[in-house]
Amino acid sequence: MWISRYLLERICEMAGVVVSLDPKPIPGDWNGSGAHTNYSTKSMRADGGMAHIKKAIGKLEEKHMEHIKAYGEGNERRLTGAHETASIDAFSWGVANRGASVRVGRDTERDGKGYMEDRRPASNMDPYVVTSLIAKTTILS
């Protein structure tokens, strides 16, 4: 992601365009920009993985505000509970629910295994911080 951001900034610089990673650079009635993070472990992708996904989601819920604090600056302007975003103040999850904090895809539910999507990180998040925090919360705690 860092390389992609670097290339984006250089290309925009050459084109005379300004790029912003702010999660809601223009105020208004719209959803903003997030960095939804797909996540799974080997056990989540194996048969019976849905139980592991639900357990991990429970751990994420317990650490909701800790994660929010690390998921990017200005995220409170994006996570309003409107426009397919969850409320910054409350954790939620659901199958195919684009307005949840964490979404589980229909295929994952149908297959009983797969991955989950943390929809809370902002577009300006640090991918290393987000990934390590999710792993620390779901694997090590």
Side-chain angles (χ1 to χ4, degrees):
M1 182 176 279
W2 287 114
I3 292 172
S4 298
R5 287 178 178 175
Y6 173 79
L7 291 173
L8 177 65
E9 287 184 14
R10 295 295 71 83
I11 291 167
C12 288
E13 184 179 278
M14 291 177 351
V17 178
V18 176
V19 65
S20 173
L21 298 177
D22 188 286
K24 201 154 186 181
I26 301 169
D29 192 23
W30 65 293
N31 58 351
S33 180
H36 304 170
T37 305
N38 293 341
Y39 175 77
S40 68
T41 61
K42 187 175 180 179
S43 61
M44 291 176 185
R45 296 185 304 272
D47 289 340
M50 191 65 183
H52 296 280
I53 292 170
K54 287 180 179 179
K55 184 177 179 183
I57 290 171
K59 291 178 178 183
L60 290 173
E61 182 173 15
E62 292 172 8
K63 304 263 185 164
H64 175 65
M65 290 313 295
E66 179 183 333
H67 283 239
I68 288 295
K69 290 175 186 173
Y71 276 10
E73 293 181 30
N75 215 8
E76 70 283 351
R77 291 180 279 119
R78 183 179 74 87
L79 294 178
T80 61
H83 307 294
E84 296 185 334
T85 66
S87 169
I88 198 166
D89 298 316
F91 182 90
S92 61
W93 78 275
V95 174
N97 183 349
R98 296 173 57 85
S101 305
V102 173
R103 183 183 73 86
V104 174
R106 290 190 198 282
D107 292 345
T108 296
E109 181 189 43
R110 182 195 65 224
D111 298 343
K113 61 184 176 183
Y115 69 96
M116 61 184 176
E117 173 190 30
D118 192 337
R119 299 175 58 83
R120 300 171 295 170
S123 53
N124 59 3
M125 61 85 144
D126 180 329
Y128 296 104
V129 170
V130 170
T131 303
S132 65
L133 195 53
I134 292 171
K136 177 182 170 186
T137 299
T138 60
I139 298 171
L140 301 177
S141 66

